[in-house]
Amino acid sequence: MQCRRDGVWPALVHLLFPCAVIAEDPSLLNSWHDVWFFRFLVNMLGYATIIVPGYFLISYFKRSNYLDRGSGLCYPLIKTCVFGGEDKSSLLDDVPVSSRNEPDSGSTVKQALKLMFCAAGLQASYLTWGVLQERVMTRSYGAVAPDHDGEKFKDSQFLVFMNRILALTVSGLWCMLFKQPRHGAPMYMYSFASLSNILSSWCQYEALKFISFPTQVLAKASKVIPVMLMGKLISRKSYEYWEYFTAVLISVGVSMFLLSSTTSKHPSTVTTFSGVVILIGYIVFDSFTSNWQDNLFKYKMSSVQMMFGVNLFSCLFTVGSLLEQGAFFESLAFMTRHSEFAFHAVLLSVCSACGQLFIFYTISQFGAAIFTIIMTLRQAFAILLSCFLYGHSVTIVGGFGVAVVFVALFLRVYARSRMKSSRQPSLPQKV
């Protein structure tokens, strides 16, 4: 039994701490707040203090037939949050399909300029976002001298809150300024996608403490595999043979890159078991988010309304958890001590919110295939930019693995576009 305990304890330590970091700084073991798994559990407890009472309230209103007998000032609010306004229907039935899935008619030059604008906006937003994300999570602030290490920002949840509060503001203003479809989904249904979105974003930030940014980007590219699995489980979707083939190619490419990663002295370039576990969490949560949002789109709503609903609950969950932990004011104090961090956090949020708007606009103007190509190129540029700015080394085998991943991604885009074009009915010829 003693031998078993001796084997389990090192495994747990290896899971919770990257070995290279422990060797350099044993003081990490002195505080529970430095253990990512405990922080995750504490965050979940904070969300539970909002979710559990909300669950009982929703159950009460549904059991008591409140929709039939309710009245008063709170009735419209409770009806919107618990029961919604309309039945399920196809997404934006009152909006022509061509306005959402096909490019607008117009001159070739105008369309080319519009495409260049969308591509430049997406690249600028998300490349800046990626560089800042790595800067905030892996580098110190306030290092005034070479012998002074400075202070690192550790609370990933606060960064998630910053991103969500600005995205909520932008999407709310957009909904007020531009006409939107009549909203019909019960508001509480956004909370499921919101919770998984928060957790995936938290894992995304937290993983950078243990793995390199290029590794994270490739892991995001490989999320098509769990997305397919979630699609089968949640939406009962079926997939073509080429989708399975490209998923296997992506898995092979990512495995080649991970297995060939070289260890460096800097903690951010060491692929640890903790980082891999957190990345798996990111992929699972993000896959659930996209599939749950697909189900929500069965109600009449626009993408900006979806953005508003998800971010509304995200702000509620994160600010509640931060206040309960006392981390909200600690993070604000860090911002006041380090103005550079404050600038980076705000710019990170601006890039995230603008990027989401560019996503909606690009898909509405040029369709999902063009958008996927632009974002795939962005991932490749992000890896190159990170290696250039932060000195990440990539072996020949790792570089080949990266190439395999992006070839598979472009194959998916090509096969999907060919399938869509073959399914379109041919126009009748004039006699």
Side-chain angles (χ1 to χ4, degrees), residues 183-242:
H183 189 268
M187 288 297 294
Y188 82 89
M189 293 190 70
Y190 290 107
S191 63
F192 297 93
S194 176
L195 180 61
S196 60
N197 181 254
I198 291 171
L199 295 175
S200 68
S201 298
W202 184 88
C203 290
Q204 184 175 325
Y205 284 113
E206 199 72 13
L208 285 176
K209 297 178 181 178
F210 308 110
I211 61 170
S212 67
F213 183 78
T215 304
Q216 188 195 75
V217 173
L218 283 185
K220 290 181 184 179
S222 67
K223 73 181 181 182
V224 294
I225 303 164
V227 165
M228 290 169 64
L229 294 175
M230 287 287 183
K232 273 191 168 296
L233 293 174
I234 298 175
S235 306
R236 305 296 179 186
K237 292 182 180 179
S238 59
Y239 297 96
E240 301 291 337
Y241 72 93
W242 56 266

Side-chain angles (χ1 to χ4, degrees), residues 140-356:
S140 300
Y141 289 92
V144 294
D147 57 341
H148 186 262
D149 293 335
E151 187 178 9
K152 280 189 177 181
F153 184 75
K154 298 180 180 180
D155 201 327
S156 302
Q157 187 176 212
F158 182 78
L159 293 175
V160 176
F161 167 74
M162 287 283 292
N163 288 349
R164 298 303 177 266
I165 192 67
L166 187 60
L168 175 68
T169 304
V170 170
S171 58
L173 290 174
W174 188 280
C175 289
M176 288 191 295
L177 294 175
F178 301 98
K179 185 178 179 181
Q180 302 293 322
R182 185 177 177 183
H183 189 268
M187 288 297 294
Y188 82 89
M189 293 190 70
Y190 290 107
S191 63
F192 297 93
S194 176
L195 180 61
S196 60
N197 181 254
I198 291 171
L199 295 175
S200 68
S201 298
W202 184 88
C203 290
Q204 184 175 325
Y205 284 113
E206 199 72 13
L208 285 176
K209 297 178 181 178
F210 308 110
I211 61 170
S212 67
F213 183 78
T215 304
Q216 188 195 75
V217 173
L218 283 185
K220 290 181 184 179
S222 67
K223 73 181 181 182
V224 294
I225 303 164
V227 165
M228 290 169 64
L229 294 175
M230 287 287 183
K232 273 191 168 296
L233 293 174
I234 298 175
S235 306
R236 305 296 179 186
K237 292 182 180 179
S238 59
Y239 297 96
E240 301 291 337
Y241 72 93
W242 56 266
E243 293 182 281
Y244 290 106
F245 173 70
T246 53
V248 170
L249 274 183
I250 291 171
S251 301
V252 171
V254 172
S255 299
M256 290 173 64
F257 179 83
L258 293 179
L259 294 175
S260 66
S261 296
T262 56
T263 303
S264 174
K265 291 183 178 180
H266 198 283
S268 69
T269 59
V270 180
T271 301
T272 66
F273 187 66
S274 293
V276 172
V277 171
I278 296 172
L279 271 183
I280 292 173
Y282 160 76
I283 293 172
V284 171
F285 292 131
D286 193 65
S287 303
F288 176 86
T289 302
S290 59
N291 280 280
W292 187 267
Q293 286 178 325
D294 282 343
N295 282 335
L296 277 181
F297 273 127
K298 294 176 183 177
Y299 293 91
K300 291 183 178 181
M301 69 174 70
S302 68
S303 298
V304 181
Q305 286 174 321
M306 172 73 76
M307 179 179 172
F308 178 83
V310 172
N311 285 305
L312 176 65
F313 280 95
S314 296
C315 290
L316 179 65
F317 290 149
T318 52
V319 76
S321 179
L322 286 167
L323 288 173
E324 289 170 5
Q325 297 178 41
F328 185 78
F329 295 106
E330 288 181 8
S331 299
L332 289 180
F334 190 94
M335 293 182 74
T336 57
R337 291 196 303 272
H338 305 288
S339 57
E340 185 185 9
F341 167 77
F343 173 72
H344 287 165
V346 172
L347 186 57
L348 193 71
S349 303
V350 170
C351 290
S352 177
C354 292
Q356 290 185 57

